[in-house]
Amino acid sequence: MGAIKRSNCFHRNGHSADCEASNTTNMIIFAGIQILLSQLPNFHKLWWLSIVAAVMSLAYSSIGLGLSIAKIAGGVHAKTSLTGATVGVDVSATEKIWKTFQSMGDIAFAYSYSNVLIEIQDTLRSSPPENAVMKKASFIGVSTTTMFYMLCGVLGYAAFGNQAPGNFLTGFGFYDPFWLIDVGNVCIAVHLIGAYQVFCQPIYQFVEAWARARWPDSGFLNAERVVRVPLAGDFPLSPFRLVWRTTYVVLTSLVAMIFPFFNDFLGLIGAVSFWPLTVYFPVQMYMAQAKTRRFSPTWTWMNVLSFSCLVVSLLAAAGSVQGLIKDLKGYKPFKVS
């Protein structure tokens, strides 16, 4: 939303104008929306938000691709190379290595969906078989994601070359048509509203299930009453859910406002969660279910895959931490650089 304000400012005053926009207010609004949505008890109540978020993701990705193609077709030739940014010209050798590691974290985050896989599967009907539906859905989802991200990466690099911004739309790789960029940024905002809930709901439910199992006789933890909401019908309201989820949203929003380093945090979260949740546990569960013999070809290659992804996660985490340390040098609290 801050990028929309800046986009309109650039349109009115020129691309070289000093167009600063505070994001603190926008983050507070975002937190308020999340506090309300977080009171939805589970994924069953979020199906519509998930669909909206997916449509928004498709929309802003398509806008970015279209603008990249238009820039390439316009005859503007950006400086590109097979190995990316040139050492000694665009970046130092050390910066090149750290940025490569950080990019691994960003890619890993794009595929870290396993923590919501079971919760999504629980929302499916029993017929046809849930595992068969999820296998097909995962294949389609991963294939579509890979296609769009590869196109964004390849065409985006062709359009901007070694000076490509971290985010094409909010980073002002494009300035015109400003209204289309504004539409793309609105789609990003709506998508992130839905994405926050999709990733947080498993955390909410895990903590709540643990607390109720730990203190089964607590009236505060188990109390729930139905409240009639205009236009929405009956809504289950829990005091524990209200307090715990609101606290969680406030704390995460406060951290985001104090440390507004989007790409570095994205890479770090992706690096930390990718190997254990997306690789190690699924591989181990598969081998246990299939009763894979130790040191058989399948066992060997599964472990090679797991170890390779562990190395990628460690390198990505190191790159993201280095990026955060670098950002902190010129850091001002509550200010997006």
Side-chain angles (χ1 to χ4, degrees), residues 107-130:
I107 295 171
F109 184 83
Y111 291 95
S112 294
Y113 68 97
S114 58
N115 57 323
V116 298
L117 195 65
I118 303 302
E119 281 74 12
I120 293 174
Q121 184 167 322
D122 284 343
T123 66
L124 300 177
R125 300 184 182 91
S126 57
S127 180
E130 295 174 358

Side-chain angles (χ1 to χ4, degrees), residues 129-315:
E130 295 174 358
N131 61 333
V133 174
M134 283 306 300
K135 187 174 183 179
K136 182 178 180 181
S138 295
F139 176 78
I140 294 173
V142 170
S143 300
T144 304
T145 297
T146 301
M147 180 187 71
F148 268 95
Y149 286 169
M150 287 297 295
L151 286 172
C152 285
V154 172
L155 293 178
Y157 183 63
F160 296 103
N162 297 340
Q163 303 305 315
N167 187 305
F168 289 170
L169 297 176
T170 61
F172 290 94
F174 306 103
Y175 289 92
D176 295 301
F178 81 100
W179 60 268
L180 185 58
I181 297 167
D182 287 353
V183 170
N185 282 318
V186 168
C187 290
I188 291 176
V190 175
H191 168 72
L192 290 178
I193 288 172
Y196 186 101
Q197 285 300 311
V198 168
F199 275 92
C200 286
Q201 281 291 335
I203 299 173
Y204 293 156
Q205 292 167 26
F206 172 80
V207 172
E208 289 160 15
W210 173 84
R212 287 175 180 137
R214 180 69 176 80
W215 298 283
D217 299 324
S218 172
F220 174 70
L221 295 179
N222 294 289
E224 187 167 300
R225 58 180 298 181
V226 177
V227 178
R228 181 167 292 278
V229 179
L231 303 179
D234 293 340
F235 186 84
L237 184 65
S238 163
F240 173 50
R241 190 161 57 232
L242 178 63
V243 173
W244 139 244
R245 296 188 181 190
T246 299
T247 302
Y248 181 89
V249 173
V250 170
L251 289 176
T252 55
S253 300
L254 187 61
V255 170
M257 286 187 279
I258 296 175
F259 303 106
F261 311 131
F262 183 74
N263 275 353
D264 292 320
F265 267 117
L266 205 67
L268 183 60
I269 294 171
V272 170
S273 63
F274 175 68
W275 179 73
L277 297 178
T278 307
V279 181
Y280 177 75
F281 286 122
V283 165
Q284 293 300 316
M285 286 189 290
Y286 169 78
M287 291 195 295
Q289 183 186 46
K291 295 181 173 58
T292 305
R293 290 183 295 106
R294 288 172 64 86
F295 304 110
S296 66
T298 301
W299 184 92
T300 301
W301 284 111
M302 282 290 186
N303 280 284
V304 168
L305 170 66
S306 181
F307 179 76
S308 301
C309 291
L310 172 60
V311 173
V312 170
S313 289
L314 292 174
L315 294 177

